[in-house]
């Protein structure tokens, strides 16, 4: 059979070629419903199955005058419930103000593309989430990517770019693929010293770290010192959407300039009850936070004892670095076969050669489950001779 000539100028052909290429590099992703004990979930506090959440939502649906927002919040889609929630959320995390977006992706893209201009420089940790990267790309400003957590490199670049208009450092407080934490106090000190500003994405920290789960920025006492903080609600808060927190002026600016806020239909008003319930239950979940932290330490120690590389993780996100894509895929399949729902994380989500398993823990997993998981991982490692 003649090999098919692929015309890359034809989009249909290009799609086929690219899919075949992904498949041949063990990089093709497929949608799969979670099976077994779920270790992919961001339901860190176990609120996704909490009956109190369901009750709050049902009550809100039953008393809602309308079940759709019917438009952008700047048109018919606003409801006072959102304003009340924005105030309550800002108070929780110690910010002056907050603005709710329909997703964390929309919040990051809207925020960064609105505040940054072409003459600015943004300094971005190499492990930052795609939504942050896309926001910076849209802003068309100069982007300096510094190696993950390398503050010396960052400082050199801040010096080198001292003549730029605005300079903004962007990090996650808990990195989603590494499970380590940004040194926020050092970063703000560095920013202050060089006249730069700091933005922190707290997607994986809200509900998990800080007093009442108010996040790492609040925990470090930096709420009034960062330019903006982004808190997604689809993880520990068992809802969806995200709050961008900062000054009153920042919220006012975003209402007028963030395109993902302006040109996006608001979520249904009743949904604010789900976000509110998630926020309040998360704030009160001290026992779950403690259990999650203890289990994270336990699992990490067991894995390290068995020769696994958990990178710099010191949170509920425990990566297990395996290297080759094929190894990660095979390992994840073995674990799934033994009842643990684990996915392989491969490039481009992580740097080439650092394919991994990402074990994402939840407060509803027991110590026994952690011990069993560690044993099964050891067993698979020996069978696969890794
Ligand atoms: C660090 C980080 N920021 C932002 C997002 C995007 O949030 P959302 O899923 O609500 O769009 C995610 C994950 O989804 C994330 O891990």
């Amino acid at each position: 059979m003649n090999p098919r000539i692929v015309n890359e100028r034809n989009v249909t052909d290009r799609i086929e070629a690219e899919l075949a290429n992904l498949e041949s590099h063990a990089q093709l992703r497929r949608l799969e419903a979670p099976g077994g004990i779920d270790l992919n979930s961001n339901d860190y506090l176990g609120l996704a199955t909490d009956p109190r959440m369901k009750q709050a939502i049902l009550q809100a649906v039953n008393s809602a005058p309308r079940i759709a927002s019917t438009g952008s919040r700047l048109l018919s889609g606003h409801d006072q419930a959102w304003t009340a929630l924005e105030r309550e959320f800002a108070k929780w995390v110690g910010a002056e103000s907050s603005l709710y977006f329909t997703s964390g992706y929309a919040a990051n893209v809207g925020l960064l593309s609105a505040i940054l201009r072409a003459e600015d420089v943004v300094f971005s940790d190499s492990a930052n989430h795609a939504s942050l990267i896309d926001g910076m790309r849209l802003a068309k400003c100069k982007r300096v990517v510094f190696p993950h957590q390398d503050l010396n490199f960052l400082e050199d670049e801040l010096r080198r770019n001292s003549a730029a208009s605005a300079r903004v450092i962007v990090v996650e407080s808990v990195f989603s693929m590494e499970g380590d934490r940004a040194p926020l106090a050092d970063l703000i000190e560095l920013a202050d010293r060089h006249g730069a500003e700091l933005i922190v994405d707290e997607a994986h920290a809200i509900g998990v770290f800080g007093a009442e789960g108010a996040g790492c920025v609040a925990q470090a006492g930096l709420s009034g010192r960062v330019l903006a903080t982004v808190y997604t609600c689809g993880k520990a808060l068992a809802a969806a959407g995200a709050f961008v927190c900062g000054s009153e002026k920042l919220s006012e600016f975003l209402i007028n300039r963030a395109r993902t806020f302006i040109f996006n239909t608001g979520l249904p008003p009743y949904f604010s009850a789900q976000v509110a319930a998630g926020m309040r239950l998360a704030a009160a979940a001290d026992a779950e936070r403690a259990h999650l932290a203890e289990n994270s330490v336990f699992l990490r120690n067991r894995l390290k004892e068995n020769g696994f590389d958990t990178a710099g993780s010191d949170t509920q996100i425990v990566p297990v670095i395996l290297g080759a894509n094929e190894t990660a895929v095979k390992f994840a399949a073995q674990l799934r076969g033994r009842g643990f729902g684990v996915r392989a994380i491969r490039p481009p989500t992580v740097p080439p050669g650092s394919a991994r398993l990402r074990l994402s823990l939840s407060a509803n997993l027991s110590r026994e489950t952690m011990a069993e998981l560690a044993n099964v991982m050891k067993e698979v490692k020996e069978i696969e001779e890794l």
Side-chain angles (χ1 to χ4, degrees), residues 148-292:
H148 183 51
Q149 306 274 39
D150 189 340
L151 299 201
N152 291 327
F153 188 104
L154 171 60
E155 180 151 32
D156 284 350
E157 287 298 326
L158 282 164
R159 267 196 214 102
R160 206 191 312 276
N161 289 280
S162 60
S165 187
R167 285 160 312 135
V168 177
I169 303 166
V170 179
V171 296
E172 295 175 29
S173 50
V174 170
F175 283 91
S176 60
M177 291 299 141
E178 310 296 323
D180 56 357
R181 278 182 276 181
L184 294 178
D186 295 344
L187 281 162
I188 200 77
E189 201 252 320
L190 197 59
D192 284 352
R193 194 145 26 95
H194 291 275
E197 292 163 289
L198 180 65
I199 290 180
V200 184
D201 180 335
E202 294 245 61
H204 299 275
I206 188 67
V208 178
F209 288 99
E212 296 185 343
C216 294
V217 170
Q219 187 179 37
L222 299 174
S223 303
R225 293 179 63 192
V226 292
L227 172 60
T229 316
V230 180
Y231 301 89
T232 66
C233 309
K235 304 184 194 294
L237 309 195
F243 293 89
V244 176
C245 290
S247 66
E248 293 280 1
K249 290 285 176 209
L250 177 69
S251 295
E252 200 180 341
F253 182 78
L254 294 175
I255 290 169
N256 286 277
R257 282 284 180 264
R259 291 168 69 82
T260 57
F261 181 85
I262 300 167
F263 300 103
N264 191 213
T265 297
L267 290 184
Y270 67 80
F271 192 75
S272 64
Q274 180 164 350
V275 181
M279 172 179 69
R280 291 170 197 157
L281 291 172
D286 281 345
E288 287 77 5
R289 263 186 289 282
H291 175 65
L292 181 65

